[in-house]
């Protein structure tokens, strides 16, 4: 009996891996046709791309539903739980490396590439290869390209919407921690309120970030064409916004699962995994706020 309890759970045959592969192929195939189509001929690729996105969403819904049913059926033992935790840890580590690469690009462009273009150092990348009026400084006063390419732009002040979004995300870290403690202590109402507040705060963050992007384009002329600064700004904040979007969706799903009573104080890794992910998103934003907006 003990040997059976220690045995690793092997799921039954599933159609979801092959559906996932086909869905991703359709999405990428459609995107490639859409991007490379001649003017007026992008409808096929665009339609195929959206069909692929719909297939991916359906695949996620079906696959996660199967996993949830297996969990509620008691199929997972302690060994499976440990494997889930290790898998989530490695996933978050991969996300750390993902953002680390972008922060590394920011550091390289700001600390090395721009000074070299301004004439510092002994390499070949000196000011003689750029226009005479080039200013080797980060932000709106340099590194943005000549006026005829991107035009003059302004940087977004750190103490406006970025500070507000920082306070929102820090507050969401508090509310999800409250919800976690409520789950472990068996306070269902407090759990739902804390988790619901986290979903609302995540949605508010995205609302204000969208407003910030509109201001950047309409009032600051800060666009993707604003040289290396604009490209780096939207790359870092955009990818973070995508992660906040996914995290908010996952939190909403966990809220519905909590409302249905899927978790207990001793068995709630699904909640913990999303909480880990959300805390990671919070930490990344703090680094973004410091290195992109403040410094």
């Amino acid at each position: 009996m003990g040997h059976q309890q220690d045995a690793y759970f092997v799921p039954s045959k599933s159609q979801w891996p092959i559906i996932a592969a086909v869905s991703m192929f359709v999405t990428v195939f459609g995107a490639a046709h859409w991007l490379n189509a001649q003017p007026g001929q992008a409808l096929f690729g665009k339609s195929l791309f959206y069909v692929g996105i719909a297939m991916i969403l359906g695949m996620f819904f079906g696959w996660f539903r199967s996993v949830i049913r297996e969990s509620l059926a008691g199929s997972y033992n302690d060994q499976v739980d440990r494997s889930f935790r290790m898998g989530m840890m490695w996933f978050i580590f991969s996300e750390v490396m993902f953002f680390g690469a972008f922060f590394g690009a920011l550091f390289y462009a700001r600390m090395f590439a721009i000074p070299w273009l301004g004439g510092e150092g002994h390499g070949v990348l000196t000011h003689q290869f750029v226009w005479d009026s080039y200013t080797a400084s980060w932000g709106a006063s340099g590194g943005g390209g000549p006026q005829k390419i991107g035009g003059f732009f302004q940087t977004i002040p750190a103490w406006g919407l970025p500070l507000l979004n920082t306070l929102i995300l820090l507050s969401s870290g508090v509310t999800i921690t409250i919800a976690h403690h409520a789950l472990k202590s068996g306070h269902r109402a407090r759990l739902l309120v804390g988790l619901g507040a986290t979903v609302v705060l995540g949605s508010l963050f995205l609302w204000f970030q969208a407003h910030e992007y509109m201001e950047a384009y309409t009032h600051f002329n800060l666009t993707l064409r604003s040289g290396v600064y604009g490209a780096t700004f939207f790359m870092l904040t955009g990818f973070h916004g995508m992660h906040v979007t996914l995290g908010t969706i996952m939190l909403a799903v966990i809220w519905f699962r909590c409302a249905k009573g899927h978790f207990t104080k001793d068995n709630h890794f699904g909640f913990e995994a999303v909480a880990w992910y959300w805390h990671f998103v919070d930490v990344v934003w703090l680094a973004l706020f410091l290195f992109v907006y403040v410094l």
Side-chain angles (χ1 to χ4, degrees):
M1 185 68 177
H3 176 72
Q4 291 179 349
Q5 291 177 347
D6 293 336
Y8 197 86
F9 171 71
V10 179
S12 57
K13 293 181 178 180
S14 174
Q15 73 277 18
W16 297 118
I18 186 63
I19 293 177
V22 172
S23 301
M24 288 186 288
F25 175 81
V26 171
T27 303
V28 175
F29 188 78
H33 273 265
W34 185 6
L35 293 174
N36 293 283
Q38 298 296 325
Q41 300 180 359
L43 180 61
F44 171 75
K46 184 178 181 180
S47 302
L48 202 61
F49 172 78
Y50 286 119
V51 169
I53 293 295
M55 292 173 64
I56 289 176
L57 293 176
M59 176 273 299
F60 273 119
F61 179 82
W63 202 340
F64 276 92
R65 182 177 60 179
S66 298
V67 173
I68 291 171
R69 286 177 175 176
E70 291 170 354
S71 177
L72 294 177
S75 301
Y76 300 154
N77 55 18
D78 291 340
Q79 186 178 4
V80 177
D81 184 76
R82 287 193 297 271
S83 71
F84 282 160
R85 293 176 185 275
M86 290 300 298
M88 191 63 189
M89 290 177 185
W90 281 113
F91 170 71
I92 292 178
F93 177 75
S94 72
E95 293 285 272
V96 171
M97 295 295 102
F98 178 85
F99 278 101
F102 292 137
F103 278 110
L106 169 65
F107 177 79
Y108 183 86
R110 185 170 182 175
M111 302 303 296
F112 293 104
I114 289 179
W116 287 344
L117 287 171
E120 291 186 12
H122 302 287
V124 296
L125 296 177
T126 64
H127 64 283
Q128 62 181 308
F129 292 98
V130 295
W131 54 97
D132 295 334
S133 60
Y134 176 79
T135 302
S137 60
W138 185 249
S141 58
Q147 296 287 328
K148 64 180 181 180
I149 294 182
F152 174 77
F153 67 92
Q154 296 175 272
T155 60
I156 295 179
W159 312 115
L161 285 179
L163 177 61
L164 177 61
N165 267 347
T166 301
L167 296 176
I168 288 174
L169 274 191
L170 289 176
S171 300
S172 72
V174 174
T175 55
I176 197 171
T177 301
I178 292 173
H180 193 187
H181 285 290
L183 176 58
K184 291 193 291 185
S185 58
H187 294 285
R188 182 184 179 88
R190 192 186 307 168
L191 162 65
L192 294 177
V193 170
L195 193 55
T198 309
V199 174
V200 171
L201 290 170
S203 302
L204 274 177
F205 176 92
L206 294 171
W207 171 269
F208 285 124
Q209 187 177 53
H211 184 70
E212 178 186 83
Y213 276 14
M214 288 188 291
E215 279 196 346
Y217 265 76
T218 57
H219 296 105
F220 296 99
N221 196 34
L222 176 59
T223 70
L224 283 169
R225 292 173 57 85
S226 300
V228 65
Y229 182 91
T232 305
F233 173 83
F234 285 105
M235 177 179 64
L236 280 166
T237 59
F239 272 121
H240 179 267
M242 182 187 72
H243 282 72
V244 173
T245 302
L246 294 175
T248 303
I249 293 173
M250 291 190 292
L251 286 169
V253 171
I254 293 298
W255 188 93
F256 283 108
R257 291 194 62 190
C258 289
K260 288 180 172 292
H262 285 188
F263 301 117
T264 66
K265 61 181 181 179
D266 298 319
N267 183 16
H268 54 266
F269 172 69
F271 180 99
E272 286 183 317
V274 177
W276 293 354
Y277 182 84
W278 194 253
H279 287 307
F280 163 76
V281 168
D282 288 350
V283 172
V284 171
W285 176 257
L286 290 177
L288 269 172
F289 180 69
L290 178 62
F291 291 107
V292 174
Y293 291 99
V294 177
L295 298 179

